[in-house]
Amino acid sequence: MKNIRNIAIIAHVDHGKTTLVDSMLKQSGTFRQNQVVADRVMDSGDLERERGITITSKNTAIYYNDTKINIIDTPGHADFGGEVERVLKMASGVLLLVDAYEGPMPQTKFVLKKAFELNLAVIVIINKIDRKDARVDEVIDEVLDLFIELGAGDEQLEAPFLFASARDGYCGYSALEPAKDMTDLFDAIIKYIPAPSGDENGTLELLISTIDYSEYLGRIGIGRIENGSIEAKREYIVLNAANPDKKLRAKVAGLYEFEGLSRTEVASSKAGSIVAISGIDDLEIGDTITVEGGEPVQFVKISEPTISMTFSVNNSPFAGREGKYVTSRQLRSRLYKEIETNVSMRIEETDSTDAFIVKGRGELHISVLIETMRREGYEFQVSKPQVLYKRGEDGKKLEPIEEVTIDVDPLYIGAIMDKLGRRKGELKSMTESRGGYSRLVFEIPARGLIGYRQEFLTDTRGEGIMNSEFKSYEPYRGDIPKRQMGSLIAYETTVSSAYGLFQAQDRGNLFIGPGVEVYEGMIVGENPKGLDIEVNVGKKKQVTNMRAAGTDEALRLVPPIDMSLEEALEFIEEDELIEVTPESIRIRKKILSNQARYKSKK
């Protein structure tokens, strides 16, 4: 017990959290001298590596002298807050990692608040002190201000500050005289993070905080042993504090502890250890493994979803061409498998067997699922994101409100205030930020942010930084103007031609180039005048034997806009869908027939 430390790492996106874990793993002797190790080894998923963000929490463990340090890598984005809330239950303390230039950011605040609520010990690491524009002294003040704002206790306000360059592999107590390696950090963890409490000889209490899945072992439950000890190949009782009726007898087939990046099978484990168990098929997050007569451990309440989207079977004319899994049974099975490990997500059936409502914490939360599924070979359609409303005690309609923090050049403040004002945003504060930038804090309905991020990048010439986090449910703030752009809709099923596109590009911006198969009702571009217009992108030039100088103009096509999944989600309206396949992302009208669409409007 005294030789165990359980720590979670908190950091904003791109503040160097995963790089710090890399250095800790390498310097603790976890890898062999000649072992080839990838950078950002904890970001194991393809999407995590591409986007540079941590999406799912992961566990690793290192040994320093005689002490085992269990490290929990937590997501830095508020959309994955469900991951953060439950994994903090396994930790006795946190490492707060802050960029020496950017300082504490809004999403750091979100996770840190959760850590303070659980009364966890804190070690602050100011990272990237080797940056030319580092503002170490100012950032220390900003961190302390944040601690006071979040109601930190006296012990937390006395938290030690360390100064690091995770990339260069050092962390020490002085920013002026950088350390040589990570030794000071390891010593600080042992000194300031308490050993886990619990009685090794007491009644077993193992709280399951994370579920993993293996093709060979099936469901794997991961959690901290709060009390007692557990042995492999023995039968235990499974209880759940949120579900008093749940009481199962189950045998623990395999018991594992973490060492480096792998799991090592052990015969038994005691209080304070973070373990993984296999062999129990009905295991859920929040379950307690105990013995006869034991009590379930209370689990943290997971925040509710704020956004929903409809996932449905692809019924476009091109359905089934590119996907491996295309049926409603396969789609349903995959979605229900997701909620076994993704506790912040909810799935609901609809009147149709071909459509399912998926609820999540934000656009990013659901778009990561969509991108993961298409890479796995699934083909399906998704609707425009919808906000989830509630009714207050007085019967009034409530909606989710987000707190949005924007760092931007003062040149663009006018455009931002105009756009967010129209979207029912309220400016709460405006202060001078780092490097001549201004920091604006808005409160805005979550529906007001749907479709805004792309506009924001355009309005700020790509230089603005915007972060948002859920604040609370508040009274409905009124209607918000819809998208200004109209759609250019393919008139018939055809293959786009250079001549047809040349004629269509006068109407707006195109999403496709020549030689692309399109179908009637597919959206091939946007019209700035706000009207939906049918265009014949497959139109061919009439061939005659008459030729004269100047009659054949050179066809100069404007390069098409290549829509990403997030951009498509922001673009579509209520009467439109996104067709998602492993190879393509197409935007279409719900009603494909031009005539049927015209009649429905009538």
Side-chain angles (χ1 to χ4, degrees):
M1 281 280 289
K2 290 180 182 175
N3 294 342
I4 296 176
R5 297 293 185 275
N6 298 324
I7 57 166
I9 302 187
I10 296 173
H12 185 73
V13 179
D14 202 32
H15 278 202
K17 168 170 50 71
T18 310
T19 309
L20 182 81
V21 177
D22 282 3
S23 294
M24 292 173 75
L25 284 163
K26 288 170 185 170
Q27 293 190 30
S28 63
T30 301
F31 303 126
R32 298 188 312 275
Q33 287 292 319
N34 60 346
Q35 188 170 345
V36 177
V37 182
D39 285 339
R40 306 201 332 271
V41 71
M42 291 290 277
D43 279 347
S44 50
D46 290 343
L47 272 177
E48 292 182 312
R49 287 186 164 278
E50 286 170 26
R51 297 179 184 222
I53 59 174
T54 302
I55 293 170
T56 54
S57 166
K58 299 172 195 69
N59 296 68
T60 185
I62 59 177
Y63 282 92
Y64 177 68
N65 296 336
D66 297 329
T67 304
K68 183 178 186 180
I69 303 173
N70 287 305
I71 302 171
I72 306 157
D73 188 15
T74 61
H77 198 288
D79 277 17
F80 306 108
E83 285 278 322
V84 172
E85 290 168 49
R86 57 197 168 86
V87 299
L88 286 178
K89 287 283 282 184
M90 292 193 276
S92 303
V94 295
L95 301 185
L96 172 63
L97 195 67
V98 179
D99 187 296
Y101 172 63
E102 292 190 347
M105 299 292 275
Q107 285 158 14
T108 315
K109 179 174 151 185
F110 167 80
V111 188
L112 190 60
K113 186 178 178 186
K114 299 289 179 190
F116 285 163
E117 285 171 7
L118 293 167
N119 202 28
L120 300 180
V122 181
I123 294 173
V124 182
I125 302 172
I126 309 293
N127 191 28
K128 304 187 186 180
I129 59 169
D130 52 331
R131 284 180 68 155
K132 288 179 182 175
D133 49 8
R135 311 176 297 123
V136 176
D137 292 339
E138 292 170 55
V139 168
I140 291 171
D141 291 341
E142 288 171 14
V143 170
L144 290 171
D145 288 344
L146 178 62
F147 275 34
I148 293 164
E149 182 189 333
L150 296 178
D154 292 341
E155 286 183 19
Q156 289 157 337
L157 286 170
E158 296 294 324
F161 278 73
L162 280 79
F163 304 91
S165 168
R167 186 190 63 186
D168 295 336
Y170 64 80
C171 181
Y173 285 99
S174 172
L176 300 175
E177 297 177 25
K180 300 283 190 290
D181 53 26
M182 290 279 173
T183 304
D184 285 349
L185 175 57
F186 293 136
D187 288 336
I189 289 169
I190 291 164
K191 181 178 178 183
Y192 294 104
I193 304 295
S197 59
D199 181 4
E200 293 179 5
N201 301 313
T203 303
L204 171 65
E205 292 176 350
L206 166 56
L207 178 65
I208 301 300
S209 296
T210 306
I211 294 284
D212 202 352
Y213 185 80
S214 159
E215 293 291 337
Y216 305 104
L217 301 172
R219 285 172 81 75
I220 298 168
I222 300 169
R224 185 176 79 178
I225 304 173
E226 308 282 335
N227 255 326
S229 59
I230 188 168
E231 295 176 20
K233 310 291 189 286
R234 270 195 59 186
E235 195 174 79
Y236 292 97
I237 306 292
V238 182
L239 304 173
N240 192 304
N243 181 7
D245 297 331
K246 183 168 187 174
K247 185 176 181 181
L248 306 172
R249 286 187 176 275
K251 185 178 180 181
V252 173
L255 179 65
Y256 309 86
E257 289 188 0
F258 293 89
E259 283 194 22
L261 299 175
S262 57
R263 299 186 187 118
T264 305
E265 192 162 4
V266 294
S268 66
S269 190
K270 295 179 178 177
S273 297
I274 292 177
V275 296
I277 61 170
S278 64
I280 305 177
D281 290 337
D282 296 325
L283 205 58
E284 295 175 355
I285 288 166
D287 281 351
T288 302
I289 311 296
T290 185
V291 293
E292 194 68 59
E295 293 289 323
V297 179
Q298 289 297 323
F299 190 55
V300 62
K301 185 179 182 294
I302 301 297
S303 300
E304 293 295 311
T306 56
I307 277 184
S308 74
M309 289 169 67
T310 303
F311 284 50
S312 55
V313 173
N314 186 12
N315 61 4
S316 84
F318 295 169
R321 286 192 186 185
E322 299 169 356
K324 184 178 176 185
Y325 309 109
V326 298
T327 66
S328 61
R329 181 179 59 81
Q330 289 165 330
L331 180 62
R332 184 182 190 279
S333 172
R334 176 63 182 84
L335 291 174
Y336 276 95
K337 183 183 171 187
E338 181 67 21
I339 58 171
E340 290 179 359
T341 55
N342 197 335
V343 289
S344 303
M345 202 164 267
R346 307 276 188 277
I347 309 294
E348 285 181 11
E349 308 271 352
T350 64
D351 297 339
S352 166
T353 55
D354 291 346
F356 307 89
I357 296 171
V358 178
K359 298 178 178 180
R361 288 283 286 265
E363 270 183 283
L364 181 63
H365 190 201
I366 301 182
S367 73
V368 164
L369 171 63
I370 296 170
E371 186 62 41
T372 304
M373 286 175 64
R374 74 180 281 241
R375 292 182 185 206
E376 292 171 354
Y378 286 85
E379 182 177 309
F380 53 99
Q381 296 175 155
V382 294
S383 70
K384 180 181 177 66
Q386 301 286 340
V387 161
L388 297 172
Y389 299 105
K390 284 184 178 179
R391 289 283 170 191
E393 292 177 5
D394 55 1
K396 285 186 177 176
K397 188 178 183 180
L398 304 177
E399 66 174 332
I401 301 294
E402 301 262 338
E403 184 175 275
V404 179
T405 306
I406 292 173
D407 287 306
V408 71
D409 190 298
L411 282 172
Y412 309 123
I413 288 176
I416 290 166
M417 291 179 71
D418 176 50
K419 291 278 176 70
L420 290 185
R422 279 189 252 158
R423 292 166 175 264
K424 306 297 179 186
E426 291 181 11
L427 181 66
K428 291 296 176 184
S429 69
M430 183 164 68
T431 54
E432 279 298 308
S433 181
R434 52 191 163 64
Y437 272 46
S438 294
R439 174 166 286 186
L440 287 71
V441 178
F442 286 88
E443 286 180 9
I444 184 171
R447 61 197 165 97
L449 287 178
I450 296 173
Y452 175 65
R453 290 178 195 276
Q454 205 53 40
E455 277 187 51
F456 173 75
L457 290 175
T458 305
D459 290 345
T460 62
R461 309 291 189 270
E463 292 179 19
I465 299 170
M466 181 167 77
N467 292 290
S468 63
E469 63 166 310
F470 172 71
K471 180 177 175 279
S472 61
Y473 270 87
E474 294 180 13
Y476 183 73
R477 292 194 176 174
D479 295 336
I480 291 174
K482 294 196 172 184
R483 179 183 86 194
Q484 301 299 308
M485 294 283 187
S487 299
L488 299 180
I489 307 162
Y491 176 71
E492 60 185 358
T493 302
T494 182
V495 176
S496 61
S497 66
Y499 183 74
L501 293 172
F502 181 72
Q503 301 295 323
Q505 73 183 13
D506 291 341
R507 303 290 185 91
N509 305 311
L510 295 171
F511 298 157
I512 61 167
V516 176
E517 285 190 273
V518 300
Y519 51 79
E520 181 185 5
M522 180 171 150
I523 294 169
V524 295
E526 61 182 11
N527 168 29
K529 293 183 179 175
L531 300 170
D532 285 354
I533 302 173
E534 278 109 32
V535 291
N536 186 358
V537 291
K539 190 176 184 182
K540 303 284 192 297
K541 187 173 183 183
Q542 284 189 320
V543 178
T544 70
N545 60 358
M546 299 291 287
R547 287 289 179 272
T551 56
D552 280 352
E553 295 176 22
L555 299 182
R556 289 193 174 85
L557 293 179
V558 177
I561 298 169
D562 187 16
M563 288 281 239
S564 67
L565 175 62
E566 276 84 5
E567 288 166 346
L569 284 171
E570 292 184 359
F571 175 79
I572 61 171
E573 276 297 349
E574 308 285 345
D575 63 339
E576 296 167 353
L577 296 169
I578 301 171
E579 180 185 350
V580 179
T581 78
E583 294 173 31
S584 313
I585 291 173
R586 303 184 187 96
I587 306 174
R588 51 161 286 188
K589 287 290 183 183
K590 282 183 181 175
I591 303 171
L592 293 177
S593 161
N594 295 327
Q595 280 188 324
R597 208 164 48 248
Y598 182 73
K599 284 178 183 174
S600 72
K601 284 180 183 174
K602 284 281 187 184

